[in-house]
Amino acid sequence: MLRRIGQTARLGWQCLGALPQLHLAEVCEHAYEVAGRSAFFIALTLGCTGAIMVVQAASQAAGVLGDVSPIGGIFLQLLVSDFGPLVTSLLLAARCGAGVAASI
């Protein structure tokens, strides 16, 4: 997992190096507007979505497996590694799109 984070950070650094000169204050301000103010919204949505997925998976697996105790850990791993980044990027894209549409 740390390797994946390092690769992502290196890619981001290379992308920033390829851009023309940026005004750091503006970049930080826009990053805060997009990500900082969306953190509560994203955490709440991911928490509710994760809880619903675990409850549904447990109810489906109860008839097949009988023991549903490992389902929470398995779904936590699935949410963090695969589903979390997908939903986070979709929510940020929707919020940015709504902001652009509102400014027009």
Side-chain angles (χ1 to χ4, degrees), residues 41-78:
F41 172 63
I42 290 170
L44 182 68
T45 304
L46 284 175
C48 292
T49 304
I52 290 168
M53 285 180 65
V54 168
V55 167
Q56 289 296 321
S59 68
Q60 293 292 321
V64 177
L65 299 175
D67 180 27
V68 294
S69 60
I71 295 220
I74 293 170
F75 268 81
L76 179 65
Q77 195 174 31
L78 173 72

Side-chain angles (χ1 to χ4, degrees), residues 88-102:
T88 302
S89 61
L90 287 173
L91 291 172
L92 283 176
R95 183 146 196 260
C96 290
V100 168

